[in-house]
Amino acid sequence: MHERAWERRLTSALSGTGKEPTLVLVEGDAGMGKSRLVHRLLELPPARSVARLVVTFQASGGFAVADPLGPAPPPEAAALGVRLTAYQALEALLASARPALLVAEDLHHADDDCLALLRGLLREPPAPFAAVLTYRPEQLPSPGLPLGRAVDYPARLSVVRWRLEPLDEGRVRCVAGELLGARRCPQEFVGRLRQRSGGVPQVVVDLLRMLRDGDRHWDLFTARDVDEAGVPVRLAELVLDRTAALAGPYRPIVWAAAVLDEPAGAEDLAEVAGYRGDGGRTALIAALEGSVLRETSEGRYGFAVPLAASALYAELPGPVRERLHHRAAAMLAAREPVPWARIARHWRGGGRTEDWLRAAEHLVNDDEATVTLLEEALDVGGLPPDKRGRLALTLARGAVLGRRSEGTVRVLRGIVEDPALPAADRGEIRLELGLLLHNRKRRFEEGRAELRRAAGELAEAERPALAALAMAALANPFFPGASLAENVAWLERAEAAAEASGDRAARTAAGACRATVLMNTGDLEAWRLVARLPRDSEDRAGRQQVARGLCNTANGAVYLGHYRRADELLTQGIELAARSGAPFLERVGRGTALFRDWLTGRWEGLAERCTGLVAEDGSASDARVVLALLALAKGDWAAVRDWLPPGDPPSPEPYGTYESRAYESRAYESRAYESDVHERRVHESRVYETCEVPVAATAAGAHIRLLLARQDVDAAAEAAASAWAWLGVKGVWVWGAELAPWVVEAHTRAGQGELAQRVVAEFAAGLTGRDAPSATAALLWCRAVLAETDGEWVRARARFQQAGAAYARLPHPYARALMAEGAGRCALLLGGDRPEAVDEAVAELIRCVEELTDLGAVWDAARVRATLRAHRPAARRPPGRPAYAERMSPREGEVAELAATGLTNREIAATLYLSPRTVEQHVARAMRKLGIASRQGLAKEVARVRPTYGDG
């Protein structure tokens, strides 16, 4: 039963003739939200307009009148000094209030006499009448009978039972987002929160408040934060109180459940608790009847809220706890296959360090619990170097493909600096540490430093296959901190090492890396290389390298503008990543797909897909940039900066200005990237340092455009200069497709025409001989902007049309619509003696508005409509002023739509070529016609009435 359904049922029962009185039995464990539902009910208009009685039964056997608007206890009883029983008081209240709505909470505490009184009322309910009775099913004296006995309900009474279910992961995410901010709650955090809380709303809220009010204020919360938060007081007191209420001989069964910390069968619980014969079964039944444990699934028993085990575990005396752990470890050791991770945890909990470490040597790092155990084992002092090396390798191997915490980074850092560690192990561990820092933790500078050292150590240890993997990682052009020339140098070293090793996976890694480098520089040879990657590789490591190559080349193909060909690579790469156990690569591929969807105009549901990936992987920078781009097109400028990747936009200091870099004398091929000055500048840079270079370039373009939209032209020009200089350091000009037009636009609007021309010249030189359709279209756009700035309307219109045709071929519908806007704008500026050209331009701009509106680009569509109004010939406008009465006029609707995105009056005025005062008046009229009192309510109402705007 849904909340809306019972609200409608109760509303019907309380209104009109009340021919169908209603009883709703609401059952739910402690903290499930029964009181919240009651409060919602009491706020309903029908519930506020009838006589009602709200009582809450108490553990003492009495009750309290919980509704401040309801009747007080009978005054005559107090005056006579008579002390009424709960039954007498309830009977008097019912007689005096004659409620049409009765709410009784915590019915499990009611005594037999009160229950009998309620049964009698329900056998002959008045009309109209509705009753809502809440209770905890696990605490009913007679299971399944909330009113103590079966009730002879009349046929006309509608009776429904509603059991409140735990929150699912989606609803937990919503609650976490409200308390901590959605962008700080990645999937792993939400999943652990749901698992540990059991989805019980009160526990979820209590945990979130503990995290919110704690000392840590991370950008992103993690699963480990949930584990380290502790147990909410409310939950701890509940489980400890219920355990204390059990008879002493029965408590060990609950202690065993706390030590096992996962649902278990009756025999396992009895064995760990130390029972013999039927003692375990008897104790388990008592624990179930006392609501301490519950049957979580058929034949499995544990705590309703898994976190409750921690509260009880913390209170167990040490000797008791150790004995229980020893029994658990001994029991599990007899299983096949041997569950080494669980055994290691129990030996550790039982204080048996040698046994714990011996078990840890058998671990495989395939889940987070195992990783935690390995980290803890490596923190133990006095481990022999060989054993320490073996455990570290187990923890390190595959770190980049699985989930790893900061604890893993800390442990591995300490190990690689241990002089007693065998040299052969050190290089491999450092390789995995470097990959973890570089690819997963987005700490590129630290990661590259470790990878460089790993490459040298592995080469010295004569392990060329692993050295080739380190070199291939350093050759990846996506990451900041190295020029393309440096990437190519590392690629050549990787290929030589792989060839010398004779290792198939190493040769595959080097081949995938060369295909990646060539694809991302627009070299046609890349397609031949990627076709040769062995997709049917027999070994897992080889499949992972192929999956990496496919996902990386697909990403490059998307940035080049080969969207259709990229789709095939993406499909293959994501499927192969899933098949080879590389979830990180799957997410990389999904991020690329999101950017492709933005480029190709697949915007429906795109924001939801992006936020879903961000929830899974908080560092999903491509998803964040797409969200920023969507927000910019919709006019939600506040969200643009929120969604841009963590870090700062390009800063001019590390790269200097165009003049200081001698722009005109530096051709693409001759840049001295390896100079000491370059190294210093790269080392000092902090340019969107948590994301890949092409993503950062796109983000920088969005940042520049936002500054231009806000009329901050000087800041936009400064950001443009540093962003372009920064991209020049990398030297991959095809990645300027989403940056170059806004750099040129910023410089021309700032009156820096010469700098704009230098940008276009360098961009053109960098694209010479490159297969880069997207960047080529962007170059046409740049040249159109230059021509428009020079007042050459005919040439500018032609260039915009050429760029639009190029974008249509990709396809990139959003950019194509912007080109149509530019071409139409130039045609209107031509005007003069060519009315047919004006008519053509108006038609073109009207189509542009339709395209932008279909995409959802609210801000862009409004801007184009404003251009049309500003240039539309007065003779063509309908005579007189149309009367819209209580409908919003097109202009009011347009202003309201932009205001709903969060734009200020001044920002709306700049978009629509109006004065802020005029915008203020339009907003006020729109709010009056929509019947809302604040701008915050505009978003919902504007979406509801958008089709009813006046036609204008």
Side-chain angles (χ1 to χ4, degrees):
M1 186 178 186
H2 297 289
E3 291 186 31
R4 296 295 181 191
W6 68 259
E7 286 179 6
R8 288 194 298 270
R9 191 182 291 260
L10 291 171
T11 298
S12 174
L14 294 173
S15 60
T17 59
K19 292 181 179 179
E20 187 177 302
T22 295
L23 167 64
V24 180
L25 298 168
V26 181
E27 66 175 48
D29 299 341
M32 287 300 296
K34 299 182 294 297
S35 295
R36 180 186 65 84
L37 290 177
V38 166
H39 294 157
R40 280 197 58 182
L41 163 66
L42 296 176
E43 291 297 322
L44 293 175
R48 297 177 68 89
S49 61
V50 299
R52 68 191 196 186
L53 176 63
V54 183
V55 300
T56 300
F57 290 100
Q58 299 170 329
S60 62
F63 67 85
V65 178
D67 186 359
L69 301 180
E76 62 274 12
L80 295 173
V82 177
R83 182 177 180 83
L84 300 180
T85 65
Y87 168 82
Q88 292 169 330
L90 181 59
E91 184 180 40
L93 282 171
L94 289 170
S96 63
R98 302 180 66 83
L101 172 62
L102 171 65
V103 176
E105 292 200 75
D106 293 342
L107 201 62
H108 50 278
H109 289 317
D111 62 27
D112 290 340
D113 291 336
C114 288
L115 292 175
L117 182 61
L118 293 174
R119 289 197 299 269
L121 174 65
L122 294 171
R123 277 195 295 269
E124 298 181 14
F129 180 74
V132 178
L133 310 180
T134 75
Y135 56 93
R136 298 178 185 174
E138 74 276 13
Q139 290 186 246
L140 290 175
S142 301
L145 296 172
L147 288 157
R149 295 171 51 189
V151 182
D152 185 16
Y153 298 117
R156 64 188 179 90
L157 180 68
S158 172
V159 183
V160 294
R161 188 190 305 269
W162 185 12
R163 175 165 182 81
L164 299 182
E165 298 296 334
L167 302 179
D168 59 23
E169 201 163 288
R171 293 167 70 192
V172 170
R173 181 179 293 109
C174 290
V175 177
E178 290 176 6
L179 284 172
L180 302 180
R183 294 159 194 164
R184 303 177 69 199
C185 302
Q187 180 65 34
E188 62 157 330
F189 168 74
V190 173
R192 181 58 58 84
L193 184 63
R194 168 63 179 83
Q195 186 265 324
R196 296 297 287 162
S197 68
V200 175
Q202 187 63 64
V203 180
V204 171
V205 170
D206 286 346
L207 268 173
L208 289 170
R209 286 172 177 163
M210 292 167 66
L211 290 165
R212 181 194 64 190
D213 300 335
D215 293 334
R216 301 189 194 181
H217 299 286
W218 308 121
D219 287 335
L220 295 174
F221 287 94
T222 67
R224 187 162 293 193
D225 290 326
V226 178
D227 295 338
E228 296 176 353
V231 183
V233 172
R234 204 184 324 252
L235 175 63
E237 290 184 351
L238 179 66
V239 68
L240 293 173
D241 182 63
R242 289 180 176 178
T243 302
L246 286 176
Y250 300 149
R251 293 175 193 166
I253 200 78
V254 182
W255 300 344
V259 165
L260 288 172
D261 198 22
E262 60 185 350
E267 292 184 2
D268 287 355
L269 287 169
E271 184 172 347
V272 173
Y275 289 108
R276 297 290 180 268
D278 287 338
R281 178 177 175 276
T282 303
L284 180 58
I285 291 172
L288 294 170
E289 291 177 344
S291 304
V292 189
L293 300 179
R294 72 163 40 182
E295 190 173 11
T296 58
S297 60
E298 188 173 357
R300 310 287 290 178
Y301 305 92
F303 295 92
V305 178
L307 193 56
S310 299
L312 187 59
Y313 184 89
E315 299 302 323
L316 290 177
V320 172
R321 189 172 61 244
E322 290 176 6
R323 185 169 65 250
L324 292 167
H325 275 300
H326 294 169
R327 290 178 185 148
M331 176 186 73
L332 293 170
R335 302 275 168 88
E336 286 293 340
V338 180
W340 288 112
R342 294 165 67 193
I343 291 173
R345 186 177 72 81
H346 286 301
W347 283 136
R348 179 181 178 278
R352 300 269 288 269
T353 301
E354 287 299 321
D355 291 319
W356 163 38
L357 295 176
R358 192 159 38 247
E361 291 188 62
H362 295 275
L363 296 178
V364 178
N365 57 356
D366 57 357
D367 60 45
E368 192 168 346
T370 302
V371 168
T372 300
L373 281 168
L374 286 167
E375 291 172 2
E376 292 170 347
L378 287 164
D379 268 340
V380 174
L383 281 176
D386 59 337
K387 180 176 289 189
R388 185 173 171 81
R390 287 197 301 273
L391 289 176
L393 283 171
T394 302
L395 176 63
R397 283 172 178 156
V400 70
L401 297 175
R403 293 193 180 278
R404 292 296 186 272
S405 68
E406 284 300 316
T408 300
V409 173
R410 177 182 54 79
V411 169
L412 294 182
R413 275 196 185 284
I415 288 170
V416 295
E417 300 306 327
D418 183 354
L421 186 70
D425 292 344
R426 178 181 291 104
E428 183 176 356
I429 296 169
R430 196 186 298 280
L431 166 63
E432 296 291 351
L433 171 62
L435 292 172
L436 177 60
L437 288 167
H438 200 263
N439 295 12
R440 291 298 310 279
K441 296 301 180 182
R442 330 305 288 165
R443 285 150 58 178
F444 298 119
E445 187 177 324
E446 295 177 60
R448 290 187 71 79
E450 296 294 349
L451 288 170
R452 288 190 190 98
R453 293 182 65 184
E457 289 170 346
L458 289 165
E460 288 179 9
E462 298 184 350
R463 302 187 70 181
L466 290 178
L469 296 182
M471 295 168 186
L474 290 164
N476 191 323
F478 287 126
F479 303 114
S483 67
L484 177 62
E486 183 181 337
N487 295 139
V488 171
W490 279 112
L491 172 61
E492 292 169 353
R493 292 181 62 184
E495 289 172 329
E499 189 62 31
S501 74
D503 183 84
R504 181 179 301 177
R507 287 201 298 266
T508 300
C513 189
R514 176 160 288 278
T516 297
V517 170
L518 295 185
M519 183 69 77
N520 282 277
T521 54
D523 190 321
L524 287 169
E525 176 67 10
W527 297 104
R528 186 182 67 81
L529 294 179
V530 77
R532 291 171 53 189
L533 291 176
R535 292 156 174 79
D536 57 351
S537 178
E538 295 181 0
D539 63 296
R540 183 184 181 192
R543 289 195 302 273
Q544 288 175 348
Q545 293 299 337
V546 175
R548 187 188 306 280
L550 290 170
C551 289
N552 285 345
T553 52
N555 187 282
V558 166
Y559 277 96
L560 290 176
H562 293 299
Y563 309 140
R564 295 183 182 90
R565 299 179 76 177
D567 284 348
E568 182 180 352
L569 297 179
L570 265 181
T571 300
Q572 295 175 3
I574 292 173
E575 185 276 330
L576 191 57
R579 190 153 52 87
S580 60
F584 166 68
L585 293 177
E586 281 187 82
R587 290 193 294 274
V588 168
R590 287 165 57 200
T592 299
L594 294 172
F595 186 54
R596 174 209 61 198
D597 289 349
W598 180 79
L599 291 166
T600 56
R602 306 174 200 177
W603 288 15
E604 186 174 355
L606 180 56
E608 290 74 19
R609 298 197 295 278
C610 288
T611 51
L613 184 59
V614 171
E616 289 182 40
D617 181 1
S619 62
S621 52
D622 34 20
R624 287 178 173 272
V625 170
V626 171
L627 285 165
L629 293 167
L630 288 171
L632 186 55
K634 294 175 188 295
D636 188 359
W637 294 350
V640 176
R641 290 304 301 267
D642 289 343
W643 279 122
L644 287 176
D648 298 318
S651 171
E653 286 79 7
Y655 311 106
T657 64
Y658 296 119
E659 289 81 357
S660 67
R661 293 173 60 245
Y663 235 71
E664 55 273 66
S665 65
R666 293 192 183 186
Y668 171 72
E669 295 83 357
S670 62
R671 293 180 181 277
Y673 293 128
E674 285 69 47
S675 68
D676 292 339
V677 172
H678 160 71
E679 291 295 340
R680 176 177 56 80
R681 286 173 173 174
V682 169
H683 179 75
E684 293 171 354
S685 67
R686 293 294 183 271
V687 182
Y688 287 136
E689 62 179 10
T690 60
C691 63
E692 299 81 353
V693 174
V695 179
T698 303
H703 173 66
I704 294 165
R705 193 182 182 201
L706 176 63
L707 293 172
L708 290 171
R710 287 182 160 159
Q711 308 300 309
D712 195 350
V713 176
D714 289 343
E718 182 180 352
S722 57
W724 194 251
W726 166 78
L727 185 61
V729 170
K730 185 67 185 180
V732 183
W733 294 107
V734 299
W735 290 339
E738 299 296 320
L739 171 62
W742 303 116
V743 171
V744 174
E745 182 80 24
H747 284 317
T748 56
R749 295 223 349 227
Q752 300 168 347
E754 185 178 350
L755 292 182
Q757 290 172 2
R758 291 176 184 174
V759 168
V760 174
E762 186 161 29
F763 194 30
L767 297 182
T768 301
R770 304 291 168 181
D771 173 37
S774 183
T776 301
L779 179 59
L780 290 169
W781 182 353
C782 292
R783 287 171 170 161
V785 172
L786 289 180
E788 184 180 12
T789 302
D790 292 340
E792 298 178 9
W793 315 125
V794 174
R795 189 155 65 95
R797 175 173 169 76
R799 289 283 169 80
F800 277 123
Q801 289 175 328
Q802 290 169 2
Y807 281 122
R809 287 192 294 272
L810 295 177
H812 188 344
Y814 180 60
R816 201 216 71 79
L818 296 183
M819 296 307 93
E821 177 190 3
R825 184 175 60 243
C826 291
L828 290 176
L829 290 169
L830 281 167
D833 299 328
R834 299 178 55 195
E836 69 283 354
V838 173
D839 287 342
E840 182 183 343
V842 167
E844 190 171 21
L845 289 173
I846 289 173
R847 287 194 299 273
C848 177
V849 169
E850 293 171 352
E851 292 172 8
L852 291 168
T853 302
D854 289 343
L855 279 172
V858 174
W859 174 60
D860 293 289
R863 184 186 61 254
V864 179
R865 281 195 295 265
T867 299
L868 274 169
R869 289 194 185 97
H871 291 84
R872 191 176 183 184
R876 306 291 178 88
R877 293 177 182 156
R881 184 169 185 166
Y884 295 102
E886 290 306 304
R887 288 185 304 148
M888 283 196 295
S889 70
R891 178 56 62 87
E892 288 165 354
E894 193 171 61
V895 169
E897 204 162 25
L898 292 176
T901 68
L903 294 187
T904 65
N905 288 351
R906 186 172 297 279
E907 290 166 343
I908 297 170
T911 298
L912 301 180
Y913 310 124
L914 301 172
S915 71
R917 176 62 179 162
T918 301
V919 171
E920 181 182 352
Q921 292 169 347
H922 283 313
V923 170
R925 281 196 292 269
M927 289 169 57
R928 177 182 61 78
K929 291 179 180 181
L930 292 172
I932 57 178
S934 68
R935 290 172 79 113
Q936 284 73 23
L938 276 173
K940 183 191 243 175
E941 289 301 310
V942 166
R944 182 178 63 81
V945 304
R946 184 178 291 122
T948 67
Y949 295 167
D951 296 331

